[in-house]
Amino acid sequence: MLRIYEEQLEVAAVPGHRGLLNHMAEAVRQHLPRRLLPVRFTVSETSASAYKCELGVIEGLNDEQLEHSCSIFDFTPRVTENNTQFNVVLLVPTGIGCEIGGHAGDANPVARLLATGCDTLITHPNVVNASDINDLPENGLYVEGSVISRLLMGVSGLQPVRANRVLAIIDEHPNATFTSAAINSVSAGRASYGLRCPAVVRLNPPVYLKSVYAPSGRAVGVVERLEGLVAVLEEFRGQYDAVALSTQIEVPFNYHTDYYTARGDMINPWGGIEALFTHTISSLYDIPAAHAPMLESMEVANIDLGPVDPRMAAEDISNAFFMCVLKGLQRSPRIVKDIRNGNRPGVLTAADVSCLVIPDNCIGLPTLAALEQGIPVIAVRENRNIMRNDLSSLPWAEGQLYIVDNYLEAAGVMLALRQGVDPTTVRRPLLETLQVQR
């Protein structure tokens, strides 16, 4: 039986946090039985003695699937940096309670701001998905989170496309109202912006997703009954370029009111399991994937929440939550695995990434990859979250880490880097020029 879930492990700290990527890879290899495949990795807390890590894994893969699966820790260092363009990766990790982007597409304004300062903005569904709204900038690439990790790790590239064939796979809901809402979203996309969808597959029995919270407080979960979904992906192979998923997520009924009335003090319980789910699909099939939750019942649909926190309002005005996924996947770039020769015209690789923008305190594969690749990182304090890591303690090269107060300042640092201006020289006081006598 195929099953996706999260495990916790504690890894001993290394002096100066040096060689951290290899250290984590070896620790995970020793921790996991051979037949478990890691699909997501996070460091939730760093201390002087240990790293508390949380690891999403899939079990139940057959020998052929395991043989053809790559490790999320595979790493290829970039040998050059392409300075003909300035391309930025913007990440807001899912399920960690980010003040900005931790709710319902409420980092869309950030994406649009930062996009003005670069040639290409590479971001992921959690940043721009807002139920019926997806305001991805014209120079933005909508990329599943695990694929961004592979890009930064130097093992995959991104090839922009004109349009994808988006296969929609949805729950056969006991209440036909919700099945129809998902189908009507696809039809609306076809009629209003030219979406190409080869089919809407109604899955019965559906995949089972359940949201839970990890010991760190992160929203994670369990995915089971994947066999039907895998069969569909195999049956339609060659007929689609991306897959849009709409399924129910089991949560306690009170979450549907508690989350909105908490006004940001409760971590969104749905996003974490969605990320774990789509990481797995993208990893196994090398395709763009994104997920939208399907309402469980009319009782949930009829809850009158009144005016809600603006960051959550996009969810309150939708009953399908699917349009943002369909819109994003329409032009999500193709995943290119064979980039060893580095001569694939039009393919973005780690060599083309100019900087990474993240919330402060976040350490996952993208942060560790940027550290090793020499990619500048801008960490934003105002985007508070529950991660407990001091980024400044990592062994960055001089001028590689910039910790800023907010995204307005992040945009300024980006512009300085783009123009080749040392960001410290536009601040005061200006430090004395270093003099060394020999």
Side-chain angles (χ1 to χ4, degrees), residues 7-292:
E7 290 203 348
Q8 287 75 46
L9 68 154
E10 190 167 292
V11 179
V14 291
H17 307 300
R18 298 190 179 279
L20 202 50
L21 185 58
N22 286 336
H23 182 63
M24 293 299 184
E26 180 60 22
V28 169
R29 188 189 67 79
Q30 293 184 12
H31 174 79
L32 286 185
R34 187 181 67 86
R35 301 193 68 84
L36 288 182
L37 182 71
V39 294
R40 197 174 187 219
F41 174 82
T42 300
V43 180
S44 60
E45 183 176 350
T46 300
S47 67
S49 60
Y51 314 102
K52 291 185 178 179
C53 305
E54 295 175 0
L55 187 69
V57 299
I58 180 169
E59 68 175 359
L61 295 173
N62 59 39
D63 290 339
E64 182 180 1
Q65 289 169 319
L66 285 168
E67 182 180 348
H68 290 93
S69 297
C70 298
S71 169
I72 61 173
F73 291 97
D74 287 349
F75 178 78
T76 301
R78 64 181 190 174
V79 295
T80 60
E81 178 186 351
N82 176 11
N83 290 312
T84 62
Q85 289 195 326
F86 192 82
N87 304 312
V88 174
V89 173
L90 168 64
L91 293 180
V92 181
T94 313
I96 63 171
C98 286
E99 285 283 329
I100 302 169
H103 301 282
D106 56 300
N108 262 298
V110 169
R112 296 199 67 82
L113 169 67
L114 299 189
T116 64
C118 60
D119 293 289
T120 304
L121 183 78
I122 303 163
T123 193
H124 57 121
N126 188 58
V127 171
V128 294
N129 276 1
S131 300
D132 294 331
I133 303 166
N134 180 326
D135 204 28
L136 182 73
E138 287 300 315
N139 62 334
L141 293 180
Y142 182 92
V143 181
E144 200 278 328
S146 67
V147 181
I148 291 181
S149 292
R150 289 157 62 182
L151 169 73
L152 294 169
M153 295 284 277
V155 296
S156 293
L158 303 176
Q159 183 176 39
V161 301
R162 290 189 176 90
N164 288 316
R165 299 166 297 170
V166 182
L167 180 68
I169 304 177
I170 67 173
D171 271 1
E172 183 71 77
H173 200 289
N175 187 323
T177 298
F178 303 109
T179 304
S180 297
I183 296 170
N184 288 337
S185 295
V186 174
S187 297
R190 294 180 58 234
S192 64
Y193 57 84
L195 176 71
R196 186 176 179 187
C197 177
V200 178
V201 181
R202 298 159 66 154
L203 202 58
N204 192 13
V207 180
Y208 173 75
L209 286 79
K210 181 179 181 179
S211 173
V212 299
Y213 289 102
S216 66
R218 287 175 62 239
V220 292
V222 176
V223 183
E224 297 177 344
R225 298 203 302 255
L226 280 157
E227 288 76 12
L229 172 62
V230 168
V232 169
L233 292 172
E234 293 292 344
E235 177 186 348
F236 283 83
R237 189 185 286 271
Q239 300 179 47
Y240 61 91
D241 309 300
V243 59
L245 303 155
S246 178
T247 69
Q248 297 179 72
I249 300 175
E250 181 181 312
V251 298
F253 180 82
N254 60 289
Y255 280 15
H256 292 282
T257 54
D258 292 351
Y259 170 63
Y260 293 95
T261 57
R263 304 192 73 81
D265 289 336
M266 178 179 177
I267 293 174
N268 183 316
W270 298 279
I273 185 60
E274 291 182 290
L276 188 58
F277 187 27
T278 57
H279 274 43
T280 302
I281 300 303
S282 289
S283 297
L284 292 180
Y285 288 91
D286 291 316
I287 54 170
H291 180 272

